[in-house]
Amino acid sequence: MVFSITDYNPDVTDYQNEVARIVNEVYDNFFTARPWTFAQKEIDMFAMPDVTMTDAIITSTNPQNPQSKLVTGVSTTISAEPRYEGSILQVTGAGDDSDNGEYFIDSVQGSGGVRVSKKAIYDSPAWSTTTNPVTVIAKQRYITLPTDCVVPLGISFRDPTQTATPGYYGTVTELNRRDDAEARLWLDSTGTPSMWIPYDNVPGGELDITDFPPLPGDLAVTNVAATLGVNDWPPGDYEFFLAYRFRGNIGPIGAAVPVSIPVAGGPFRPRFTTRDTTLSNMFGLHKHIFYKIVNITATGYGDNLIRDMNAFSMTATTTATPGGGFTVGTKFYIPDTNASCDVPTVWLAGVAASEFKLRSVPRLPDFGEGTYWRIRLHPRPNFFMPVRIRYIRKPQSLIENEDTPESPPATHRYIVYRSCEELFTKHNALPQAQLYKKKADDEERKLAAQWLTQRAASYVKRGFGVGNGETFKPFRRLTQLP
């Protein structure tokens, strides 16, 4: 429709891609700029209680460079649970006072160990290795929201299946960070949450995943011999991408690394070679691989979708530390150290030269690529609690010709008109740009009247009168001014 209005549709890939980029930019801005009812999403996430251990041991394998420190003797409730990466670990009772304090859990190490780094306010001093037990407390102070969260709108506790904890939690009020600071709310208060505080960046100025962009040379992909009909990939052209995970969050995706799997000399499967992320005794910077099918030699199939190699279940039962082994449960990891890693045979239960297995992996959902919202509940829950989170979500980009916006059909005309405005402005056709700006503005007002107003969920009570009891109005009538 955009090409029809502009009366210009050259068979030039670069121009068509430019129009697609403009349409996606308009679509994304429209979808996320206002709290449209169709753009809101609700999910349940679990808040985890504090876990206290009294027999932990602090040690260091490289004390001269104390970036990441090792704590052993930690319960597998924490050390074998990747969700605790990014949580707080408080150390008390150490022989050296400088060892006490709060740390971030950078990496869980599996059998009773975690790697931690001290919070920025402590300047991460070297600590003294000791065999004397210390007390550690794991705290989920901040809950990281999903990758597609643009901005949180509300928090509630509504899961009807939870019967072991208090059934009614009352109102949960949003508190901005200024009011939180002025009220001096104690960070370690525990109980039933009554307030929540949003954070649009990592609290305390700590290292975040955005500090670790994948650079050229961080990923190399080659072909390695495979077993025919088991773990071999269909010959063709592919692109692979690297992103880092730090404290549980995935960062920006790097540039494509193209690879061709030939017919001659096969069968083959990909081998990944990456840099060592444990240098300088830093731990917890894990690696994440994505792929794109450019062209399958036998059938000519190809698409523009980026797929997540961690997003599909495998038949693996191997357990290992995230980033430290090839598979963890049903997920695929590559080592943190600088080592080559072949695609595991158990991935997709063996690719077996089937392009349909590769195509069956879901496309990567759009996300902020490193920018994550976090919330802090006050008081912090002292039991496992399902938290219902409502937020504006990021829509899926329109990549293939068959893609359609995740908004009602009535919104499509607005996207077209606003895109035409941008295109006419780009080509200095200002009268046409103004015409379609007016058309887009008119469409937006119509959409706002339908998709930004809702009938009140509760009754609106009128005043009491002697002898006539209570009366109710079922809803408020809303009027939008021009």
Side-chain angles (χ1 to χ4, degrees):
M1 191 170 179
V2 171
F3 287 133
S4 177
I5 290 175
T6 58
D7 199 23
Y8 184 62
N9 185 12
D11 189 18
V12 179
T13 301
D14 288 345
Y15 182 78
Q16 293 175 348
N17 290 341
E18 179 67 17
V19 173
R21 280 192 291 269
I22 290 175
V23 170
N24 271 296
E25 186 70 20
V26 169
Y27 170 47
D28 187 78
N29 287 342
F30 163 71
F31 198 95
T32 60
R34 307 175 74 177
W36 307 102
T37 55
F38 53 79
Q40 298 179 33
K41 181 177 179 179
E42 286 190 356
I43 67 164
D44 285 330
M45 300 182 70
F46 267 91
M48 297 182 290
D50 295 355
V51 179
T52 302
M53 293 144 288
T54 58
D55 296 322
I57 304 295
I58 59 175
T59 185
S60 176
T61 58
N62 192 8
Q64 67 272 21
N65 196 344
Q67 178 64 38
S68 285
K69 305 169 178 64
L70 178 63
V71 181
T72 58
V74 178
S75 167
T76 54
T77 303
I78 297 173
S79 62
E81 176 52 76
R83 288 182 298 177
Y84 272 102
E85 290 189 352
S87 293
I88 303 293
L89 190 76
Q90 181 180 349
V91 175
T92 59
D96 190 326
D97 285 341
S98 66
D99 294 343
N100 294 319
E102 289 190 337
Y103 298 76
F104 276 108
I105 299 177
D106 295 333
S107 178
V108 296
Q109 300 289 299
S111 57
V114 295
R115 287 279 180 175
V116 299
S117 58
K118 212 155 192 179
K119 297 178 66 176
I121 59 172
Y122 298 104
D123 197 28
S124 195
W127 65 1
S128 304
T129 301
T130 179
T131 58
N132 297 324
V134 296
T135 298
V136 296
I137 306 174
K139 310 172 185 178
Q140 190 196 34
R141 178 170 296 159
Y142 307 103
I143 300 176
T144 301
L145 301 190
T147 57
D148 64 345
C149 176
V150 175
V151 60
L153 298 176
I155 304 296
S156 59
F157 306 102
R158 305 169 60 186
D159 190 338
T161 65
Q162 299 300 311
T163 58
T165 54
Y168 177 71
Y169 304 111
T171 303
V172 186
T173 306
E174 179 182 358
L175 198 64
N176 63 46
R177 292 171 67 176
R178 175 180 175 179
D179 291 341
D180 171 40
E182 291 180 350
R184 292 176 289 181
L185 298 179
W186 188 242
L187 292 178
D188 265 353
S189 296
T190 59
T192 301
S194 59
M195 289 176 283
W196 66 280
I197 300 93
Y199 293 81
D200 55 358
N201 53 23
V202 62
E206 307 294 336
L207 285 174
D208 203 359
I209 186 56
T210 49
D211 297 307
F212 305 101
L215 301 175
D218 283 5
L219 171 66
V221 188
T222 55
N223 296 321
V224 65
T227 303
L228 182 66
V230 179
N231 55 12
D232 53 323
W233 281 44
D237 299 322
Y238 302 87
E239 290 179 349
F240 292 90
F241 308 82
L242 172 69
Y244 290 112
R245 289 184 301 108
F246 184 61
R247 293 174 180 168
N249 299 325
I250 302 176
I253 297 176
V257 178
V259 172
S260 293
I261 297 181
V263 176
F268 296 106
R269 58 174 165 164
R271 169 176 288 178
F272 307 117
T273 302
T274 53
R275 72 177 181 88
D276 187 350
T277 60
T278 65
L279 297 177
S280 301
N281 202 38
M282 177 179 176
F283 291 81
L285 189 60
H286 308 316
K287 303 158 191 175
H288 205 107
I289 299 292
F290 309 89
Y291 71 96
K292 179 192 292 186
I293 304 172
V294 178
N295 180 68
I296 300 294
T297 302
T299 62
Y301 176 83
D303 57 43
N304 295 307
L305 306 180
I306 296 178
R307 293 174 166 88
D308 186 353
M309 294 192 73
N310 281 12
F312 203 89
S313 295
M314 305 183 301
T315 57
T317 57
T318 304
T319 58
T321 303
F326 294 161
T327 57
V328 179
T330 59
K331 293 187 176 182
F332 163 54
Y333 292 99
I334 58 180
D336 290 357
T337 55
N338 186 15
S340 296
C341 174
D342 303 339
V343 175
T345 299
V346 291
W347 189 69
L348 299 184
V351 175
S354 170
E355 71 171 84
F356 295 103
K357 283 193 174 184
L358 296 177
R359 290 168 59 178
S360 67
V361 176
R363 76 196 310 185
L364 174 69
D366 276 8
F367 64 98
E369 293 196 0
T371 302
Y372 293 91
W373 279 89
R374 299 164 174 84
I375 61 171
R376 192 184 96 240
L377 299 177
H378 181 83
R380 189 169 64 251
N382 52 12
F383 45 81
F384 282 100
M385 170 183 280
V387 182
R388 177 70 53 88
I389 301 171
R390 183 170 61 93
Y391 59 90
I392 296 177
R393 65 183 176 92
K394 183 175 176 61
Q396 186 72 56
S397 294
L398 308 177
I399 299 175
E400 298 288 352
N401 289 333
E402 294 76 19
D403 284 340
T404 186
E406 298 178 81
S407 57
T411 67
H412 296 183
R413 190 173 297 274
Y414 166 83
I415 297 172
V416 169
Y417 289 160
R418 193 66 79 191
S419 299
C420 288
E421 176 197 345
E422 295 291 336
L423 275 172
F424 282 128
T425 301
K426 177 181 177 67
H427 294 289
N428 204 30
L430 300 184
Q432 291 92 332
Q434 286 297 317
L435 172 63
Y436 281 95
K437 179 181 185 304
K438 183 178 184 305
K439 283 178 172 287
D441 291 343
D442 290 343
E443 288 292 326
E444 187 172 14
R445 278 191 287 270
K446 295 176 186 177
L447 296 174
Q450 182 174 4
W451 302 104
L452 284 181
T453 57
Q454 300 182 71
R455 182 172 294 189
S458 58
Y459 288 100
V460 179
K461 186 185 295 183
R462 295 198 316 196
F464 288 91
V466 177
N468 64 354
E470 305 179 43
T471 56
F472 300 92
K473 286 186 177 181
F475 64 91
R476 248 190 215 108
R477 190 174 300 279
L478 302 176
T479 303
Q480 183 183 25
L481 300 177

